[in-house]
Amino acid sequence: MESPQSLFAHGDEDLQVMKAGAMLRKVKSRSWKKQRHFRLQEDGQTIWYKSRWAGTGHSIFSVADVDVVREGHQSEILLSIADEFPADLCFTLVFRGRRSNLDLVAESPSEAQIWIRGIRKLIQNTESMNDKERLDQWIWDWFKKADKNKDGRMNFKEVRTLLKMMNVGMNEEYTLRLFTMADKSESGCLENEEFVQFYKMLTEREDVWRVFQDYSRDGQILTLAELEDFLKQEQQEGERSLVHAQELIDRYEPSENAKKHGAMSIDGFQMYLVSPESAILDPQLLALHQDMSQPLSHYFICSSHNTYLMDDQLRGQSSQEAYIQALKRGCRCVEVDCWDGPNGEPVVYHGHTFTSKILFRDVITTLAEYAFQVSEFPVILSLENHCSMEQQRVMAQLLDTILGDTLLRAPLDTLVPQELPSPQDLKGKVLLKAKKIGGLEESEMLTDEVTDEVSDEEEADPKSPSAENLSAEDLRLNDKKSKFSRELSDLVVYCKSVHFHSFEYSRLHSKCYEMSSFSESKARKLAKETGAEFVRHNSRQLSRVYPSGMRTDSSNYNPQELWNVGCQIVALNFQTAGLEMDLNDGLFSQNGCCGYVLKPDFMRNDDSFDPERPQDRNGYTSLRLSIQVISGQQLPKVNQKEGSIVDPLVRVEIYGVFQDQAKQETSYIDNNGFNPLWNETLNFIVHVPELALVRFVVEDYDKASRNDFMGQFTVPFTCIQPGYRHIHLLSKDGTAIPLSSLFVNIKISELTTEV
């Protein structure tokens, strides 16, 4: 039995060389460069490496976890050793999620090319696999793990071990019955196709079979009319059901005979239900589909705080890599803290802390390369400027020369705007957010410099680490008004930073291109006390919210509270996984992951929407959300000990306006993470579905301590497809967990009576 990747590797010269292995230098820093023996395993999927002195100790990683291979000095670490190792020896493996890069140096250029080409081919092959090939690979991976004596066969003891590894606590008598049924050769071992047959019996979906039986008259097939009825009644597809039924048969039915008769078998039905088009998130809304021609203030904008940091706010590493990761996740507002550096070169770091420093020049070079790889819509560069006049001029020059035409330097059509331009108008542009000398109307008549206060964040949050750690000399200097250069000021067009006085002051005096920054505590206070005014303010102007300076561990606040009042730039610490980033990823998963999501219409016009009193708005209708949690499939193990099996439960959480915040959970299932069956229904009332996010969380129940996180998926309420759906789970890091899913039935209806 061989995996698809293994078969692919057989016929490729580069991959055969990789299987033989090579000594590569693993580089962690300028001083840490150690040789490791790397080898592609026989499965064509796993790369193994170890030190020659490590005895039996070794490390492995899957090619499926590698996002891209960069060639040459394409990382800060490899750039730091460029004088020692030429570019043609160097390459970097960039992993999905938040895992650190792996920087490697080969012995020769030809050897480097073999590994670069080989890994790229394996990535491409993995990404091009169809569902059947992915499943075959998954089965093979398990077979290999459980085949302890490596004889290519599995005896009953190995099968029992395998089931524990797969999270299944199965009755021994039933396991033996399945094993005996699959052992056609009666050899006492399962080989190749026998193991595949065993797996097929193990994974028979009784839950899917029941749904199939509800609509199949003969219990064997769904006719075209029966499939149409299922799509109409359960999947709520209405008029398009008949056409779609035929499309599904053509696309998913494996039996040519059934296809010929316009029918669907249980195999085709199951393939449809686990496909992306039957996922909970409507694929049509996953694509770019929203109106992108409205003013910038009408969109939620995916935003990062202190983007340069890879870790905490006090001692964390500053890195260009953090910008690359944020931009690749669709982030459209990145932050740069600039300070005077040596040799007239501005540096980026969290001032008055022990975070490391990187050159402003390198940050802008990274921005120029990666800003528009994932999304073509504008990037806002939020500048926290602490530099002297001389180094501000250097910054302006670097922005001008490195960003070139992508940097917006003047209003569109040279007109002073009455409203902000749209993402569509600003495609491919970088907008500088900073303080500005005067306004767009009078900039031609002003002097070359201005005195102003400290940075936005210190001004709004005196408890920030920067403010806390100022020396007496720093405080004396900050008491003086700091100067802002004309060259830098002229590059600020639509995002002029201004101090926030009050909503009334802004309504009477502020221009559409002026924006304020709020600490999370200030923003939450305004949201609670004057929510309707905050919504109205945010329909005309941009607002940026950032984490409290007390969050030195780079933890995050709940962004939902600020989205509820229409704040566009709700900046989070992207390096920190957890609920808050799950919500952010969930909101921005729609609309092509472009980093812009159109706000609901009642937050874009002059209607008075108060998130504390949603029932007062025009056209208010509340909805009932009913979620039947049916089953789980191949849930991940939390404890990797061989005998450990999870006790999973599912919790559904609603995030939105205060009245919509709710959580409910199922009971837990003993010793079954492979195919647990719940069949429990959870009901919710949602008052503002346009702002709600629904988060599905799977946990391993523990009666003695806190439950362990297993996986989650967060979806905007308005993107949910009703009916029988699979939810494909994500890890804490936001990466897909292969074949791990929940099967649910979702019903959404209007409330007909008062609740």
Side-chain angles (χ1 to χ4, degrees):
M1 180 179 181
E2 290 195 82
S3 72
Q5 281 283 58
S6 178
L7 289 168
F8 172 72
H10 278 332
D12 188 280
E13 195 174 312
D14 289 334
L15 301 183
Q16 289 305 307
V17 174
M18 288 169 63
K19 281 185 177 183
M23 293 301 292
L24 304 173
R25 276 188 180 83
K26 180 182 175 183
V27 185
K28 286 187 176 181
S29 68
R30 190 168 174 80
S31 58
W32 199 103
K33 306 178 286 283
K34 297 188 178 178
Q35 287 203 320
R36 296 287 184 263
H37 185 243
F38 282 77
R39 189 173 73 230
L40 176 65
Q41 300 288 73
E42 284 301 317
D43 62 1
Q45 180 78 12
T46 309
I47 292 177
W48 170 102
Y49 65 95
K50 66 173 286 189
S51 160
R52 69 178 73 179
W53 317 114
T56 57
H58 66 274
S59 300
I60 60 169
F61 63 87
S62 171
V63 172
D65 295 332
V66 181
D67 183 39
V68 71
V69 184
R70 293 190 206 144
E71 203 168 338
H73 297 142
Q74 292 289 312
S75 76
E76 290 158 284
I77 289 173
L78 291 179
L79 271 170
S80 73
I81 59 166
D83 56 343
E84 190 177 351
F85 298 105
D88 57 7
L89 299 181
C90 301
F91 60 101
T92 301
L93 304 187
V94 181
F95 292 93
R96 301 179 194 279
R98 293 175 175 83
R99 183 172 171 177
S100 299
N101 295 349
L102 183 57
D103 290 302
L104 299 169
V105 179
E107 294 292 319
S108 68
S110 59
E111 186 175 65
Q113 282 303 311
I114 286 170
W115 283 82
I116 291 165
R117 285 194 306 263
I119 295 174
R120 282 175 176 168
K121 280 184 263 193
L122 290 171
I123 293 170
Q124 186 178 8
N125 189 58
T126 300
E127 291 175 347
S128 63
M129 280 184 188
N130 60 35
D131 289 340
K132 183 182 182 307
E133 288 170 332
R134 287 182 199 279
L135 183 58
D136 288 347
Q137 180 71 46
W138 196 82
I139 294 171
W140 195 90
D141 287 345
W142 279 116
F143 184 94
K144 184 171 67 74
K145 286 177 188 173
D147 183 16
K148 296 293 186 185
N149 59 10
K150 307 301 176 192
D151 63 354
R153 306 186 306 166
M154 291 187 66
N155 59 36
F156 184 62
K157 183 180 178 183
E158 287 174 327
V159 165
R160 287 180 60 199
T161 302
L162 169 68
L163 292 178
K164 287 181 180 175
M165 291 168 68
M166 294 172 94
N167 250 336
V168 187
M170 189 177 283
N171 175 282
E172 186 167 337
E173 187 180 329
Y174 179 63
T175 307
L176 182 59
R177 184 150 55 90
L178 290 184
F179 182 90
T180 305
M181 288 167 66
D183 183 17
K184 301 292 185 188
S185 62
E186 299 183 359
S187 63
C189 291
L190 301 183
E191 305 179 27
N192 296 337
E193 294 307 314
E194 291 177 336
F195 178 73
V196 173
Q197 182 60 32
F198 173 80
Y199 178 83
K200 193 169 181 181
M201 288 189 288
L202 188 67
T203 55
E204 279 181 354
R205 294 283 302 274
E206 190 179 331
D207 50 353
V208 172
W209 177 252
R210 284 191 194 132
V211 179
F212 184 85
Q213 291 291 304
D214 286 344
Y215 284 86
S216 170
R217 186 172 299 170
D218 68 359
Q220 300 301 311
I221 60 163
L222 287 173
T223 65
L224 186 62
E226 288 167 346
L227 182 56
E228 178 195 2
D229 191 30
F230 169 77
L231 294 176
K232 196 174 285 183
Q233 299 298 323
E234 300 292 349
Q235 310 298 74
Q236 302 289 301
E237 292 194 6
E239 295 302 315
R240 65 185 289 260
S241 297
L242 178 59
V243 174
H244 195 209
Q246 186 59 59
E247 290 172 352
L248 293 179
I249 290 170
D250 294 340
R251 196 172 301 139
Y252 297 110
E253 178 50 51
S255 165
E256 289 301 325
N257 187 47
K259 263 189 192 177
K260 193 163 62 178
H261 290 89
M264 180 175 268
S265 66
I266 181 64
D267 289 338
F269 187 65
Q270 184 165 322
M271 284 177 70
Y272 154 63
L273 284 178
V274 299
S275 72
E277 72 176 290
S278 189
I280 188 171
L281 204 164
D282 188 338
Q284 293 183 355
L285 303 183
L286 202 56
L288 183 67
H289 68 280
Q290 293 181 345
D291 176 8
M292 303 303 288
S293 63
Q294 300 205 27
L296 278 180
S297 55
H298 288 186
Y299 297 84
F300 296 121
I301 303 172
C302 187
S303 306
S304 162
H305 171 252
N306 286 0
T307 313
Y308 47 89
L309 287 176
M310 299 286 284
D311 204 337
D312 68 70
Q313 306 285 311
L314 295 178
R315 297 176 179 274
Q317 178 193 358
S318 301
S319 172
Q320 294 149 245
E321 205 61 48
Y323 287 93
I324 296 171
Q325 290 178 11
L327 292 165
K328 287 179 79 170
R329 292 181 75 151
C331 182
R332 296 289 87 190
C333 180
V334 296
E335 186 177 3
V336 185
D337 277 2
C338 303
W339 299 79
D340 281 357
N343 307 315
E345 283 268 6
V347 293
V348 174
Y349 82 114
H350 200 195
H352 311 293
T353 67
F354 297 103
T355 58
S356 62
K357 300 174 183 177
I358 52 177
L359 293 177
F360 178 78
R361 174 194 302 274
D362 291 340
V363 170
I364 303 307
T365 301
T366 300
L367 183 63
E369 184 176 352
Y370 288 93
F372 303 106
Q373 284 192 7
V374 168
S375 170
E376 59 189 346
F377 294 107
V379 171
I380 297 170
L381 182 60
S382 181
L383 192 65
E384 290 289 316
N385 174 20
H386 305 268
C387 290
S388 63
M389 289 290 288
E390 293 75 16
Q391 295 211 10
Q392 286 182 50
R393 292 187 180 110
V394 173
M395 286 162 58
Q397 184 184 12
L398 291 170
L399 287 165
D400 182 63
T401 54
I402 296 171
L403 294 178
D405 291 340
T406 62
L407 180 64
L408 189 77
R409 294 175 174 80
L412 301 178
D413 305 322
T414 67
L415 299 173
V416 175
Q418 298 307 305
E419 66 176 17
L420 287 167
S422 70
Q424 184 71 32
D425 295 332
L426 296 166
K427 267 186 182 179
K429 292 294 183 185
V430 175
L431 280 60
L432 186 64
K433 174 204 160 289
K435 295 186 183 295
K436 182 175 178 66
I437 302 169
L440 296 177
E441 299 85 352
E442 64 239 351
S443 58
E444 296 304 314
M445 302 181 292
L446 291 165
T447 59
D448 284 346
E449 57 188 57
V450 70
T451 57
D452 210 340
E453 297 86 5
V454 293
S455 74
D456 287 355
E457 293 198 9
E458 286 172 0
E459 177 185 276
D461 188 3
K463 292 184 178 179
S464 69
S466 301
E468 280 186 338
N469 294 300
L470 290 175
S471 65
E473 177 65 10
D474 291 325
L475 288 167
R476 186 183 66 77
L477 290 172
N478 265 356
D479 281 341
K480 291 184 176 182
K481 300 293 186 180
S482 58
K483 292 184 176 180
F484 196 55
S485 83
R486 177 61 183 270
E487 291 88 345
L488 204 52
S489 169
D490 284 349
L491 300 179
V492 178
V493 184
Y494 292 122
C495 299
K496 176 188 175 182
S497 296
V498 297
H499 175 72
F500 176 77
H501 297 280
S502 68
F503 291 126
E504 183 181 9
Y505 181 91
S506 296
R507 188 169 63 253
L508 295 174
H509 303 290
S510 294
K511 309 289 191 253
C512 68
Y513 56 81
E514 294 178 333
M515 61 176 290
S516 300
S517 289
F518 303 88
S519 69
E520 61 172 281
S521 55
K522 173 74 170 174
R524 289 167 73 177
K525 186 171 186 290
L526 289 170
K528 190 164 185 61
E529 295 175 358
T530 51
E533 286 189 77
F534 214 164
V535 171
R536 205 174 298 116
H537 172 86
N538 286 326
S539 70
R540 303 185 310 272
Q541 291 175 260
L542 294 174
S543 292
R544 174 176 171 269
V545 184
Y546 57 90
S548 161
M550 303 302 285
R551 294 185 181 274
T552 55
D553 59 351
S554 293
S555 60
N556 280 309
Y557 55 98
N558 188 333
Q560 185 69 52
E561 294 176 67
L562 293 317
W563 292 330
N564 288 344
V565 289
C567 293
Q568 303 86 354
I569 301 175
V570 181
L572 298 177
N573 292 308
F574 269 46
Q575 69 272 36
T576 305
L579 162 67
E580 299 81 11
M581 277 305 298
D582 291 344
L583 297 180
N584 196 75
D585 290 345
L587 176 66
F588 292 104
S589 62
Q590 61 186 309
N591 204 34
C593 297
C594 74
Y596 285 83
V597 169
L598 189 63
K599 294 197 279 190
D601 57 359
F602 54 80
M603 302 184 94
R604 309 193 306 260
N605 52 37
D606 288 331
D607 286 356
S608 180
F609 170 69
D610 186 345
E612 296 288 317
R613 296 186 56 79
Q615 63 274 16
D616 292 349
R617 73 178 169 94
N618 292 333
Y620 164 77
T621 305
S622 57
L623 299 177
R624 182 186 299 279
L625 172 65
S626 175
I627 301 171
Q628 182 191 12
V629 180
I630 301 171
S631 63
Q633 294 75 45
Q634 290 145 55
L635 303 177
K637 287 191 74 162
V638 176
N639 187 332
Q640 293 306 315
K641 288 180 182 174
E642 203 166 87
S644 170
I645 301 171
V646 298
D647 305 323
L649 63 80
V650 177
R651 187 170 59 254
V652 178
E653 305 169 346
I654 310 291
Y655 294 89
V657 298
F658 178 74
Q659 290 183 34
D660 288 343
Q661 308 278 359
K663 296 179 183 181
Q664 290 185 44
E665 63 186 39
T666 67
S667 56
Y668 66 90
I669 304 294
D670 274 322
N671 285 341
N672 189 352
F674 187 73
N675 54 2
L677 201 63
W678 288 280
N679 277 321
E680 295 181 33
T681 300
L682 311 176
N683 291 300
F684 301 90
I685 305 301
V686 181
H687 298 275
V688 190
E690 298 91 341
L691 286 173
L693 293 167
V694 184
R695 183 172 184 250
F696 296 82
V697 189
V698 184
E699 291 182 344
D700 179 15
Y701 173 76
D702 191 328
K703 64 182 177 185
S705 61
R706 189 174 178 177
N707 294 349
D708 290 317
F709 174 90
M710 294 171 66
Q712 71 84 33
F713 190 82
T714 304
V715 59
F717 185 100
T718 53
C719 295
I720 289 176
Q721 295 197 98
Y724 286 97
R725 305 293 172 187
H726 277 87
I727 299 167
H728 300 281
L729 296 173
L730 303 176
S731 69
K732 188 173 183 179
D733 226 16
T735 55
I737 306 171
L739 301 178
S740 187
S741 64
L742 298 175
F743 185 43
V744 298
N745 184 15
I746 294 176
K747 289 182 167 58
I748 299 171
S749 57
E750 285 191 14
L751 274 184
T752 52
T753 56
E754 281 295 319
V755 176

